[in-house]
Each structure stands twice: as C-alpha cells, then as structure tokens.
Amino acid sequence: MSDLVLPAERVMAEPGELGRFGEHGGRFVPESLVPACARLEEGFREAWSDPSFHRDLERLLTVYAGRPTALTPAWRLSAELGITVLLKREDLAHTGSHKINNVLGQALLARRMGKTRLLAETGAGQHGVATATAGALLGLGVTVYMGEKDIERQALNVFRMKMLGAEVVPVTSGSRTLKDATSEAMRAWVTCLDEAHYCLGSVMGPHPYPWMVREFQRVIGDEARRQSAAELSTGIPDYVVACVGGGSNAAGTFAGFADTGARLIGVEAAGGAAVASGRTGVLHGFRSYLLQDENGQVSEAHSIAPGLDYPGVGPEHAYLNDIGRARYVTVSDEEVVPAVHRLARTEGILPALESAHAIAWVIRAAESGELPPFSTVLVTLSGRGDKDVATLMEAPAPTGAPAPTGAPVPTGAPVPTGAPAPMEAPALKEAPALKEEQ
Ligand SMILES: Cc1ncc(COP(=O)(O)O)c(C=O)c1O
C-alpha cells in the first residue's frame, strides 16, 4: 500500500495562519468575531508550545478521563467476518465518548485565557455532557445549546447536563437539531466574548477550531498506533475506520495513521453525507462540503444518530477526500440498528448509534468481499450506546440476528477458531493466521 503513503508534514499538518486545508477551512465570520478567533488562535499556539499545558492536559486525561482507552480485539465478530477487527474504545473514556478529550483541552485553554464561562452546541448530547463535566471540574459556568428534537431523543443526556450544573437552552429554529444549535451558540458567543469561550464540539467552525480540535483528539490516533503495533504482527492495521459527523473522532484517529499505509475510511450517515453528496459552500464560519438544494441553500440532514445529522463536514476531511488520502462512505439508518445489535451480541458492547455506522460499514464491506479476508481493521468506537436506548427501543429489532452462541467460524479466519473467551484466546500477535499473512 506504499502508493498511499504521503509525507506526514503534508497531511494532517498545521493549516497555517489562514487555516486552510486546500480550498477548505478558513475563517468566514462576522467582523465582531474576527478578533475573538484571532485571540483564540494566539492563545492556542502559545499553550500548545508550552510543555506545562501539555503536562496539565495529559494529567487530566490520565487521572480524570481514564486514558489510555483500551484497544479491544472484537474476537467473535472477527471470526464471523473472517477479518481481524480491533476496537479503539472511546466509549470507555469518562462521560462515555471521545468528546471529553477535546473539551478538557479547550476548558484548560479557556481558563488559561481568563474566561469564566463555556458555551457549547450539542447534538447527541455527548459534547454537552463533556462540557458540563469539564465546567464542573474547573469551576467554569456552562451553557449548552441543543435542538428541541435532540432534547427529546437524548433525554438522558439532558438530565446529565443539568445534574452537572449546566444550563440547557432549547433551540426551536430550523430542523431543531445540531445545525441550528450551532448557529444559536455562535450568536450567543458574540454577546459575551470577554468572559465566555465557545467550546466547539467538532473539527468544524472558523480557524483555529478545526485544527485545534483535531490536535486535542489526536490522542486517539496516537494511542491506537502504539496499541496496534503491540497487538498486530503487521504493526499497522490495513484499514482505519471511524464515523464522521463534523469529523472529530475520525480526524483524531486518522492523525495517528496519516503517514502510514493504512487506508483511512470515514463513514457518514446516508442522510448527512456532506462529502458523498455535498457541494462546496460556507456554513458556521468555514468552507467545506455542505448539503445544499438547487438554490445553494443548506439542506436539512437526517440521521438516526443525532451526532451525525449535520449538513457539513470538517474542512480537513473535505481535503483528505480531495487528495485521495481518505475515502468517505455512507451507511443508512436501516444498516445501523442491526450493527448495534450485532456488536452487543458478539462482543458485549453496546455502541452509540454514531459509532455503529463505522461497525455497519465494516460488516457490509467484509460480507461483500470489499475487505479482503484476513484484513486487519481498526475501528474507533466513539461512544457508548446508553443514550440511544430509547431510540433503539422504538426501532424494530433486526430479524436473523446472530445466535448468541455457537456462531459459525469461517475457515481460515485470522482469529483463533471459536475464540469465545478472550481470556483464553492467544494474543493477536501470536495468532498463526496473522503471521501467515506477512
Ligand atoms: C458518540 C459520538 N460519536 C460521534 C459523534 C460525531 O461527532 P464527530 O464526527 O465530531 O466525532 C458524536 C457527536 O455527537 C457522538 O456523540
């Protein structure tokens, strides 16, 4: 796969003062926000070059957020699919998703810059919960903007945010989901620039957000690279797969593998597939691929996963797509629910609906032969599914879900046949089938 290797300094690098990733990114904001974005960039550059900031962040990520998160071989799913699936377990991070990595970084930065409050938008509620958590930890006030529709389907997370002391502001405009919550949070920020930091939840928004958030999420990919080197006899997985809403968990994961031969796959929701179906446009302060109607108006996105129904995508993903370094695929709602059930039954892990998009693509690609037998596939499990239980209770359970025990194991599968008990199964590095592949 050496044809895919690009110099690390050219991909997933610093986007420069203009914050451009090819023709994407930039800073398209009202004049009133330009100084705030410039101050934030300066504050981030200064903090990011200060070893004491890194020490503080690393300590919080370790002793508070529970990093490093595990890299778990999905033993039974691997056996069923005839490939090796490794799960990067962001569901095990404090508050239940990868969002905590970025939020702890931004909250520390906000405090360093003398801010007393955090503003945030949220879709699935995980970013809101993470922001409320960091606010409680560091003594910062928190206001979270959330679409009414998401408030209904993510009631558990709304309750968690309030318990943590955050104010949750319902947003009633437009599609009443993430796009409208983001617009509202940006509007609110303009009114309190001196005391509040806008804690954006993904690799989107005006420069420096896409770059800064990717750097705060890079920890996922860096850990996963070290862990897969220890786990796989190939060292690097053949494929690295992550779901894409704005794209922060995927950007953080890809950053750890951008300079390797691993194929990077971003999985979008079919109804929110900005890379697959969008055109270049400007929204929320950045230029990227956006879902638009024939008049150039931003279209509404839809996904069963509230964190994926954003009509745009982070600018760096648009660039990675343009240069062919990453590939973006789509998964429909109908494929996602069976994927949740399958991971729950084979591995005892209930993934977030967002993360289940990545699992669903891996299942489809393995079963259709798109993923060659014996492939090694690292999937970032961006969050846990507790928050989605109400949605899943309403969705019909898939028929023909794999039997809880005794699922057939394909011959020649790269994991030990019938590997039912991870404790008894040999480490992947010692799995003979994997060595054969060298
Ligand atoms: C668990 C989980 N995964 C993924 C996402 C999508 O966000 P991103 O693409 O920024 O990782 C969200 C967003 O809310 C989420 O809660």
Side-chain angles (χ1 to χ4, degrees), residues 29-338:
V29 289
E31 231 168 279
S32 50
L33 275 183
V34 173
C37 290
R39 269 199 303 275
L40 180 60
E41 180 185 350
E42 197 185 317
F44 175 64
R45 282 183 189 278
E46 200 232 325
W48 211 230
S49 61
D50 179 353
S52 77
F53 181 80
H54 284 275
R55 264 199 306 277
D56 290 349
L57 179 57
E58 209 175 299
R59 180 155 170 78
L60 276 189
L61 288 171
T62 308
V63 303
Y64 187 70
R67 302 208 70 88
T69 57
L71 187 72
T72 305
W75 291 99
R76 299 206 317 125
L77 185 67
S78 297
E80 286 179 11
L81 298 177
I83 59 175
T84 296
V85 180
L86 299 173
L87 303 171
K88 179 59 178 159
R89 301 287 308 281
E90 294 304 292
D91 60 313
L92 296 178
H94 181 47
T95 70
S97 84
H98 67 298
K99 297 285 179 185
I100 195 75
N101 308 322
N102 166 45
V103 166
L104 286 175
Q106 288 200 46
L108 270 186
L109 180 62
R111 208 174 60 170
R112 184 183 168 106
M113 291 178 69
K115 309 289 178 181
T116 55
R117 287 176 58 210
L118 300 174
L119 304 180
E121 81 298 330
T122 198
Q126 291 298 86
H127 175 59
V129 168
T131 309
T133 299
L137 177 72
L138 298 179
L140 301 164
V142 173
T143 306
V144 180
Y145 293 84
M146 188 168 190
E148 260 188 344
K149 184 173 164 193
D150 291 334
I151 286 182
E152 277 162 32
R153 52 183 178 167
Q154 297 290 296
L156 174 66
N157 277 343
V158 175
F159 187 72
R160 290 169 79 193
M161 283 179 250
K162 289 182 178 168
M163 277 199 72
L164 292 159
E167 180 195 8
V168 180
V169 179
V171 176
T172 55
S173 54
S175 57
R176 300 176 298 129
T177 59
L178 183 56
K179 168 172 77 68
D180 312 288
T182 309
S183 305
E184 207 51 48
M186 283 192 133
R187 261 196 290 277
W189 189 33
V190 179
T191 67
C192 53
L193 293 170
D194 286 340
E195 85 256 20
H197 168 70
Y198 178 22
C199 185
L200 227 162
S202 193
V203 284
M204 52 193 232
H207 179 57
Y209 283 104
W211 168 46
M212 178 174 73
V213 176
R214 181 246 285 165
E215 288 304 280
F216 286 141
Q217 291 293 6
R218 174 183 283 278
V219 65
I220 305 174
D222 287 347
E223 277 176 18
R225 172 112 174 230
R226 281 196 298 277
Q227 290 165 318
S228 47
E231 200 75 44
L232 293 171
S233 45
T234 48
I236 302 276
D238 298 324
Y239 293 81
V240 172
V241 186
C243 67
V244 174
S248 66
N249 89 89
T253 308
F254 291 176
F257 296 92
D259 62 338
T260 75
R263 291 173 197 270
L264 310 179
I265 310 282
V267 187
E268 298 185 289
V275 179
S277 334
R279 282 184 290 135
T280 305
V282 170
L283 179 69
H284 296 145
F286 67 107
R287 179 161 50 204
S288 187
Y289 292 123
L290 296 178
L291 296 181
Q292 297 171 52
D293 66 18
E294 59 283 4
N295 300 316
Q297 297 296 317
V298 176
S299 312
E300 284 188 6
H302 161 82
S303 172
I304 192 171
L308 301 189
D309 68 1
Y310 185 69
V313 67
E316 191 162 24
H317 287 292
Y319 176 64
L320 291 174
N321 175 72
D322 290 355
I323 62 170
R325 179 62 191 94
R327 195 179 136 217
Y328 294 82
V329 295
T330 61
V331 158
S332 68
D333 287 357
E334 290 68 36
E335 292 172 279
V336 168
V337 174

